[in-house]
Amino acid sequence: MAVKQVEFYKHNLEQEDIEQLMAVLNSTFLTTGPVTADFEQRFGEYTGMPHVIATNSCTSAMHLALEALGIGPGDEVITTPMTFVATALAIRHTGAHPVFVDVEPETGLMDVSKIEAAITPRTKAILPVHLYGCMVDMRGVFAVAAEHGLRIVEDAAHCVEGARDGVRPGQLSDAVCYSFYATKNLACGEGGAVAVHDPALAQRIRCARLHGMSSDAAARYKTPYRHWDVQTPGWKANMDSIHAALLVKQIDRLDDNLVKRQALADRYREKLAVIPGISLPRERGKNACHLQTVWVSAEQRDWMLHYLQEQGVACTVNYRAVHTLDYFQKTYHHKPEDFPIAHDIGLRTITLPLYPKLTEEEQDYVIDVLTTAQRALSLEESPQGQLQSV
Ligand SMILES: *Cc1c(COP(=O)(O)O)cnc(C)c1O
């Protein structure tokens, strides 16, 4: 138990990324331009998606995609309560309402068999979330969407690299959204992207990410000056060259970093399996290994979270179910038991450190701390009484 401090995440930026950034800083052009376009091109090659539009976040990527698909006030979009709140808020930003369906108990993923019962005449789209790194059954989602004439927008914030049943994120949907937020597998601080198949949809999103203007700053920079116009009111959600510079070379290292996380995830799986009272979500398809969550008992979760922190292990909760958050309870009159499986998982989740720079020594320390915590809890009836005595 020598290690005393384990970070929750360490980024993977290297010298070559810093050089890309310096090249932008030494140029005159900081906002959206050729470097952003270069990133979009390379990311499209990696993901196999023909049109990529880089944005300032995944939240705005989802908002722009939904809006460009014609979703607006009064419409309903079916999604999962076991996700980051941004998924449901992006739906709200269009004026539509999120309609939740419960999740599978073994994986935490949206239960595709429950979608049909949630469809109403106002339903316009399905927004599945690929949780922790594992994909939703997209063939199943596609079948329901096709039968009911619904759009599909995917939240792939956790799943750039994953696949399932021969399908990758985006392949069967209208749009797929990614996040490059500080702790994601591909990270630049703040950033996102939406990828689509339809060139007309790509054009609408590209225009909407920059006020709805008919030309961007890079085009306006050229001579002779051309006047721009606005046909529809857009948003301010473009990715600048500074953030794009940090991403271009990282794409080439995604697969190597995945191999490192896979090895760590396998080690967690093997070593945590023997600790009583701790279970892990079941994997589905090729896991992008974004988050290592463990499920403990609801009564002991907060105590364990605090204990891990006290011992220097940074950890968090991904996620408490969205429908139990105050705004959603009040606005939609949801009760926690409306989606009991997501609620239960939300009460039992702890997310452990998982990133390429995590050493086996640090990981063993995390596992030792968990083992000690679990042993202490099994000796006492009341976990609350344990805080002082451990
Ligand atoms: C991080 C995350 C988002 C939001 O991404 P931003 O880029 O911060 O807007 C959305 N959905 C999920 C599942 C996430 O983990």
Side-chain angles (χ1 to χ4, degrees):
M1 295 270 268
V3 182
K4 280 287 173 230
Q5 198 72 40
V6 183
E7 296 291 341
F8 182 69
Y9 180 86
K10 284 181 184 167
H11 69 66
N12 304 298
L13 292 172
E14 290 184 5
Q15 192 54 37
E16 61 175 352
D17 305 310
I18 295 166
E19 280 161 17
Q20 296 293 314
L21 175 64
M22 289 312 290
V24 167
L25 296 182
N26 288 321
S27 77
T28 47
F29 205 86
L30 300 182
T31 187
T32 309
V35 180
T36 310
D38 183 28
F39 165 68
E40 291 174 338
Q41 165 81 26
R42 290 167 188 247
F43 193 62
E45 278 159 22
Y46 182 86
T47 55
M49 293 298 291
H51 304 283
V52 175
I53 302 105
T55 58
N56 56 3
S57 73
C58 179
T59 310
S60 47
M62 291 189 284
H63 171 210
L64 294 178
L66 290 166
E67 193 186 61
L69 288 165
I71 289 143
D75 293 338
E76 292 176 358
V77 178
I78 295 173
T79 191
T80 166
M82 185 39 63
T83 181
F84 182 50
V85 68
T87 316
L89 290 180
I91 297 168
R92 281 303 296 133
H93 292 337
T94 69
H97 300 296
V99 172
F100 300 112
V101 295
D102 211 349
V103 299
E104 305 168 337
E106 330 73 63
T107 62
L109 291 165
M110 172 187 251
D111 186 338
V112 176
S113 72
K114 294 190 173 134
I115 295 175
E116 202 123 42
I119 295 173
T120 76
R122 291 179 298 281
T123 308
K124 291 285 156 49
I126 306 170
L127 206 174
V129 180
H130 307 312
L131 191 67
Y132 312 140
C134 290
M135 277 182 74
V136 173
D137 166 20
M138 285 307 295
R139 289 184 186 274
V141 172
F142 182 81
V144 183
E147 194 181 330
H148 296 268
L150 304 176
R151 303 297 202 159
I152 308 173
V153 175
E154 289 169 68
D155 180 339
H158 294 187
C159 196
V160 175
E161 309 94 332
R164 176 173 174 177
D165 308 323
V167 177
R168 292 182 66 191
Q171 214 170 320
L172 294 180
S173 61
D174 293 283
V176 53
C177 302
Y178 306 92
S179 174
F180 313 124
Y181 173 71
T183 58
K184 298 291 174 13
N185 293 352
L186 184 59
C188 67
E190 300 287 350
V194 44
V196 303
H197 302 277
D198 174 9
L201 176 63
Q203 186 49 38
R204 289 204 296 283
I205 296 172
R206 203 171 282 287
C207 187
R209 87 171 158 179
L210 195 65
H211 301 121
M213 288 163 76
S214 53
S215 72
D216 64 15
R220 297 198 304 280
Y221 194 61
K222 296 197 180 109
T223 51
Y225 188 88
R226 292 233 193 93
H227 293 290
W228 51 267
D229 211 337
V230 169
Q231 251 92 47
T232 47
W235 306 87
K236 178 69 184 184
N238 53 310
M239 176 186 284
D240 62 31
S241 298
I242 299 171
H243 289 87
L246 290 173
L247 294 171
V248 280
K249 295 279 178 186
Q250 275 194 80
I251 298 171
D252 301 335
R253 306 195 302 270
L254 269 175
D255 289 339
D256 286 346
N257 282 331
L258 173 60
V259 169
K260 291 180 192 160
R261 288 196 310 280
Q262 276 166 339
L264 290 164
D266 287 346
R267 266 182 116 243
Y268 266 135
R269 200 163 283 277
E270 185 190 318
K271 299 198 174 206
L272 295 177
V274 298
I275 308 181
I278 294 183
S279 64
L280 272 70
R282 192 88 51 86
E283 289 182 289
R284 290 282 182 261
K286 180 187 174 192
N287 185 355
C289 297
H290 174 52
L291 295 175
Q292 181 63 64
T293 55
V294 295
W295 295 340
V296 299
S297 85
E299 297 73 36
Q300 297 170 348
R301 193 270 305 273
D302 285 359
W303 181 86
M304 287 193 63
L305 199 57
H306 296 152
Y307 181 77
L308 282 159
Q309 288 181 324
E310 273 174 29
Q311 302 301 312
V313 176
C315 47
T316 182
V317 174
N318 304 88
Y319 302 92
R320 285 154 69 221
V322 172
H323 73 284
T324 67
L325 302 178
D326 206 42
Y327 170 78
F328 293 91
Q329 287 214 37
K330 286 200 178 116
T331 309
Y332 296 105
H333 310 291
H334 280 315
K335 293 187 186 60
E337 54 277 19
D338 288 354
F339 308 101
I341 301 169
H343 177 51
D344 181 58
I345 290 175
L347 295 176
R348 297 194 293 119
T349 294
I350 296 176
T351 313
L352 303 175
L354 177 68
Y355 44 91
K357 286 185 180 146
L358 184 74
T359 65
E360 289 191 356
E361 195 192 6
E362 289 171 324
Q363 188 182 29
D364 287 341
Y365 178 72
V366 174
I367 293 160
D368 282 348
V369 172
L370 271 172
T371 309
T372 310
Q374 207 51 47
R375 198 174 294 140
L377 286 169
S378 62
L379 294 174
E380 287 270 330
E381 293 255 298
S382 149
Q384 269 71 28
Q386 277 291 312
L387 245 185
Q388 290 78 23
S389 54
V390 172

